[in-house]
Amino acid sequence: MKDPTYGHPLLADRVAVVTGGGGGIGAATSRLFAEHGARVIIADIDADLAGQTAEAIGHAAVAVVTDVRDAAQVRALAHTVLDGYGRVDVLVNNVGHWLRHPGDFADTDPELWDELYRVNLHHVLLATHAFLPAMIDRHAGAIVNVSSVEGLRGYPEDPVYAAFKAAVIHFTRSLAVQVGHHGVRVNAIAPDVTESLQVPYSQWLSDDEQTQWPQWVPVGRMGVPLDQARAILFLACDLSAFVTGHTIATDGGTGAAGGWFRSSRRPDREWTNRPIAP
C-alpha cells in the first residue's frame, strides 16, 4: 500500500543508499523511498534479508551485500553505486547495534568498545567518506544518520554505546557546517521506543506491560519502523531543504517526558526505561 502521507513523490529519480536496509527501520526506509520514486540500493550484511526486501520492492531496489564495518567493502559499494548510476543523491547511515548488555563500565572488556565503535560510529565515517565526494562534485546531496535517544541523554546501562551515538550526532552537526556550501545537507534522527530488529518490544514486553504504553510514551503507543522512515524521508527530500546539522528526536515524546530510572522490581537489571513501576 502506498504511503498516504504525501500527495506526490518526494524522491523522484533520486539514487539512495540505505545501509542496513534489509530489515527493521532500514527496510521501512527502503520501501518508503521507493514509493517516493527513488532507486534504492540496499546495503546489508544479511544477504537473505536484503534480497527479500529488494524483491518485495521490485525493480526500484537492488541488494548489495556489504559489511559496512569493512573499509574495502564500503569502497566497493561506492564503486558499484557510482559506476551503475553515475551519482548518489541520498545516503542513510542506518546501521547500529547495542550488541549486548555489558554490565558496569569498570568491568567491561576493551574489545567490546571496539565492536561498539565499529558498528555505531566507524561505519558512519566510512560510508560518508566513500560517498561524500560524489555529492560535492554534483553540489547536491543529503546524508541522514541514525543515532539514538541514548546519544542525547545519560544511558547508565552502557556509557560506551551512548558515547558513540553522541559522537554520531556531533559528527552530523560538524560535517553539516563544513559541507553546507557544497550543497550537501547532513542531519540525523535519534529513535526511542520503536520496534526494530535489535529492540523487538512486541516480544520483550509482557501482556501487562503492553497495556502501559499510554503511561510510558506521551503519544500513547510504541513506535514502528515507518515512524522513523517518515522522518528520514523528510530529511532526505526537499521539504527539509533549509535544514542541516540537526538531530530529530524521533521518540514519541519520551525525551521530553524523562528517561531512565532505577528499578527495584528487576533483579537482573538495575535500570529500566520499561513501562513498569520502579
Side-chain angles (χ1 to χ4, degrees):
M1 183 177 69
K2 296 294 184 182
D3 179 60
T5 308
Y6 310 104
H8 61 280
L10 296 175
L11 296 175
D13 298 322
R14 298 190 191 181
V15 177
V17 176
V18 181
T19 72
I25 293 170
T29 300
S30 297
R31 289 191 295 267
L32 188 60
F33 276 17
E35 290 176 8
H36 281 274
R39 287 168 284 177
V40 183
I41 295 87
I42 299 170
D44 204 298
I45 195 173
D46 189 321
D48 292 338
L49 205 58
Q52 291 167 10
T53 300
E55 183 178 0
I57 291 173
H59 71 278
V62 61
V64 180
V65 178
T66 308
D67 182 348
V68 293
R69 299 168 299 181
D70 182 271
Q73 292 191 42
V74 172
R75 288 194 298 269
L77 170 67
H79 286 307
T80 297
V81 173
L82 296 174
D83 290 347
Y85 297 91
R87 70 181 198 278
V88 61
D89 300 295
V90 179
L91 170 64
V92 179
N93 289 312
N94 167 67
V95 168
H97 202 327
W98 47 268
L99 296 180
R100 57 189 178 274
H101 291 288
D104 289 344
F105 174 73
D107 301 322
T108 57
D109 184 340
E111 291 185 2
L112 176 60
W113 308 345
D114 185 61
E115 290 181 58
L116 288 166
Y117 165 65
R118 293 180 67 221
V119 76
N120 290 296
L121 176 59
H122 190 220
H123 90 274
V124 174
L125 307 182
L126 287 176
T128 302
H129 189 260
F131 286 103
L132 180 60
M135 292 181 173
I136 291 174
D137 286 346
R138 296 187 61 252
H139 204 76
I143 298 170
V144 185
N145 298 318
V146 178
S147 179
S148 167
V149 69
E150 310 306 355
L152 294 169
R153 67 186 181 192
Y155 183 37
E157 289 214 323
D158 192 346
V160 177
Y161 170 86
F164 292 137
K165 287 302 188 181
V168 170
I169 291 170
H170 201 62
F171 174 68
T172 297
R173 182 184 297 121
S174 301
L175 184 65
V177 175
Q178 184 182 89
V179 302
H181 71 293
H182 289 300
V184 180
R185 296 184 302 106
V186 190
N187 291 288
I189 64 167
D192 191 20
V193 292
T194 297
E195 181 88 1
S196 68
L197 294 178
Q198 292 83 13
V199 188
Y201 285 111
S202 59
Q203 300 175 32
W204 285 0
L205 302 187
S206 67
D207 290 343
D208 180 58
E209 289 174 313
Q210 293 282 6
T211 67
Q212 296 183 50
W213 282 108
Q215 287 74 47
W216 183 20
V217 182
V219 300
R221 65 173 176 84
M222 172 181 69
V224 296
L226 183 59
D227 293 316
Q228 306 299 330
R230 284 172 170 165
I232 293 170
L233 173 64
F234 166 70
L235 293 173
C237 77
D238 292 341
L239 289 178
S240 60
F242 203 56
V243 178
T244 196
H246 289 281
T247 297
I248 299 176
T250 48
D251 60 4
T254 60
W260 288 85
F261 50 89
R262 291 183 187 274
S263 172
S264 60
R265 294 181 57 190
R266 300 183 65 190
D268 61 320
R269 302 265 285 277
E270 182 182 8
W271 296 88
T272 185
N273 67 345
R274 299 269 290 276
I276 56 178

